[in-house]
Amino acid sequence: MSGAATASLFRKQLKEMVLICGSGAAVFFGFSLYEGNEKFYRQVMMPSIRFLDPETTHNLALFMAKNKLVPVPKKPDPPSLRTKVWDTEFPNPVGVAAGFDKDGVAVDGMLATGFGFVEVGSVTPEPQPGNPKPRLFRLWDDKAVINRFGFNSEGHDVVRERLKQRNSIQHFNGKKEGIIGVNLGKNKTSDSPVEDYVKGVEKFGPLADYLVINVSSPNTPGLRSMQGKQQLEKLVAKVSEERKNIESERKPPLLVKIAPDLTEQDKKDITDVVLKVPGRVDGLIVTNTTVTRPESLKSKYKDETGGLSGEPLKDLSTQTVKDMYRLTKGKLPIIGVGGVACGQDAYDKIRAGASLVQLYTALVYQGPPVVKRIKRELEELLQKDGFSNVSEAVGADVNLDR
């Protein structure tokens, strides 16, 4: 065989080998995605996106979830993870925090992934674009995110219609599936912030399984001042009164979402307001992102303006959960948020007083399979400590007699 013929044969064989290997890699890649292989997502899939624009990646994740291109668990949640809060049966205590699906486009996809509930929002009365881009930064070395979205929202009417259509389809099918919370915010230029929240209760009260009054985002000017005692009292009084007007047999529980950057007096003032009238506020979400910057941060975006979430927020958030559980004497269910990335993180917040937990940033670094991991590890931790159900572990680390 001539040299030219040998070279031609080699190129042909090489091409075939590349095609075979490429096809095999594609099959492996697709199978790993479909199966929700935790190691594949954590070590291959998620690191591969680090060079893409963070907000573009976020939108891609929403597209995938919207079209249910997500891994689906093959086993039902174990009985130990099922829990009842606000007379609602949660299949498991792990939910998606507000901020991931601001406009309610991917609710069913996230539920299909295995989350026990999904919180939509924050939703503002009128559509608004939010803050200028770039406004989302991944801190890879710190397993954290800084965002300054500023309540970008399609507005009440669009999101309400989307959720209304979802409810209509479920009603037609004769089966309601999934627990949905709606997180309410105010417009940046609003002349009457309190009325913005009142409108939200009116719009979403008949559709939501629970409502959240978000007064703790650091990215809307003046918002956090509404956590002050007088402002919060006025706000809570108004929205709880509006809730009475909801034309449905079941009035949705009303929760207040607070910041981690609070003094002890701030926490006491919030406690006074939420406990002042029994039944007016039904729970707390603890916490939102932090404006503090721990000295341990290493990533180049560490000094960007906005709210910090993820691993660096974990301990501060868990301590705030514990403080609020102690101050409220365990009378109000708490959803613990901030740095939940594994079963131990969730368990720590539950033992600190959280009845439910939420996550968002962990999805950036581990992808959808993170929920499967958290539930598996949480079940193991409950068994190890002798708890037959997650509700038994709530507040286990807090002495309410002090």
Side-chain angles (χ1 to χ4, degrees), residues 3-244:
T6 300
S8 176
L9 178 62
F10 175 76
R11 284 194 296 270
K12 180 180 179 182
Q13 290 175 335
L14 180 62
K15 182 178 180 181
E16 289 175 351
M17 184 176 70
V18 169
L19 286 171
I20 291 170
C21 291
S23 298
V27 170
F28 172 76
F29 190 87
F31 181 77
S32 297
L33 284 175
Y34 177 76
E35 288 293 304
N37 184 293
E38 295 172 36
K39 187 176 180 180
F40 175 80
Y41 267 88
R42 191 167 58 249
Q43 297 183 1
V44 179
M45 181 63 183
M46 305 317 292
S48 71
I49 68 170
R50 68 182 301 168
F51 301 109
L52 299 177
D53 171 70
E55 192 161 348
T56 299
T57 306
H58 181 191
N59 292 334
L60 176 61
L62 282 174
F63 174 83
M64 299 281 284
K66 176 183 178 180
N67 292 282
K68 296 187 179 179
L69 301 173
V70 293
V72 178
K74 294 179 174 57
K75 297 180 180 179
D77 293 322
S80 62
L81 296 188
R82 296 174 196 156
T83 187
K84 190 173 185 178
V85 186
W86 307 301
D87 292 324
T88 298
E89 297 282 352
F90 288 76
N92 70 72
V94 186
V96 182
F100 177 79
D101 187 3
K102 290 176 175 289
D103 298 311
V105 300
V107 169
D108 290 313
M110 297 311 291
L111 290 170
T113 304
F115 284 98
F117 61 108
V118 174
E119 189 171 310
V120 171
S122 296
V123 190
T124 57
E126 300 300 325
Q128 62 178 31
N131 292 322
K133 300 177 182 180
R135 53 193 181 181
L136 181 63
F137 306 89
R138 294 180 295 228
L139 282 64
W140 283 93
D141 294 336
D142 305 296
K143 293 294 184 286
V145 163
I146 291 175
N147 92 80
R148 51 171 181 262
F149 278 117
F151 284 173
N152 52 310
S153 174
E154 291 184 345
H156 281 178
D157 290 342
V158 172
V159 178
R160 178 178 180 271
E161 187 59 31
R162 189 171 287 136
L163 295 181
K164 191 175 179 181
Q165 287 180 4
R166 178 182 181 273
N167 280 10
S168 296
I169 293 172
Q170 292 197 344
H171 181 74
F172 178 79
N173 293 333
K175 186 178 181 181
K176 183 186 184 304
E177 294 182 340
I179 298 169
I180 310 300
V182 177
N183 186 299
L184 305 174
K186 79 174 190 72
N187 281 114
K188 184 176 182 179
T189 58
S190 175
D191 293 328
S192 181
V194 171
E195 288 304 312
D196 281 8
Y197 291 100
V198 170
K199 291 176 184 176
V201 173
E202 177 188 1
K203 290 281 188 178
F204 294 101
L207 299 171
D209 291 295
Y210 67 89
L211 295 170
V212 183
I213 306 303
N214 184 357
V215 289
S216 52
S217 169
N219 301 313
T220 296
L223 185 70
R224 284 194 167 185
S225 66
M226 296 183 75
Q227 294 176 115
K229 192 169 186 178
Q230 290 184 337
Q231 298 97 316
L232 187 61
E233 168 61 35
K234 179 182 177 182
L235 174 61
V236 165
K238 287 278 191 177
V239 295
S240 61
E241 192 64 28
E242 179 60 34
R243 180 175 56 169
K244 295 177 183 178

Side-chain angles (χ1 to χ4, degrees), residues 264-390:
E264 183 67 15
Q265 187 58 53
D266 291 335
K267 296 171 189 175
K268 289 179 179 177
D269 288 345
I270 290 171
T271 300
D272 288 344
V273 173
V274 298
L275 292 183
K276 183 177 179 180
V277 179
R280 192 170 64 169
V281 173
D282 303 288
L284 295 169
I285 299 188
V286 185
T287 65
N288 214 313
T289 57
T290 179
V291 294
T292 63
R293 296 293 183 267
E295 293 183 2
S296 60
L297 293 181
K298 301 183 287 289
S299 302
K300 66 178 181 178
Y301 295 117
K302 64 182 181 180
D303 295 321
E304 289 288 344
T305 301
L308 174 71
S309 61
E311 175 71 23
L313 174 60
K314 180 174 65 178
D315 292 343
L316 177 59
S317 169
T318 302
Q319 183 59 51
T320 308
V321 169
K322 186 176 291 187
D323 291 343
M324 296 310 296
Y325 185 78
R326 171 178 50 83
L327 289 168
T328 60
K329 301 295 183 183
K331 295 177 181 178
L332 293 181
I334 292 172
I335 300 179
V337 200
V340 176
C342 65
Q344 187 66 57
D345 297 338
Y347 192 47
D348 289 344
K349 279 187 168 48
I350 289 165
R351 290 185 65 100
S355 297
L356 304 165
V357 298
Q358 290 177 329
L359 60 90
Y360 175 2
T361 303
L363 287 167
V364 174
Y365 296 100
Q366 299 184 54
V370 67
V371 66
K372 179 172 67 174
R373 173 192 177 188
I374 290 173
K375 291 190 295 184
R376 182 185 67 248
E377 293 175 352
L378 180 56
E379 181 189 14
E380 293 169 355
L381 289 165
L382 290 169
Q383 290 178 347
K384 179 183 175 183
D385 288 349
F387 296 115
S388 61
N389 186 267
V390 65

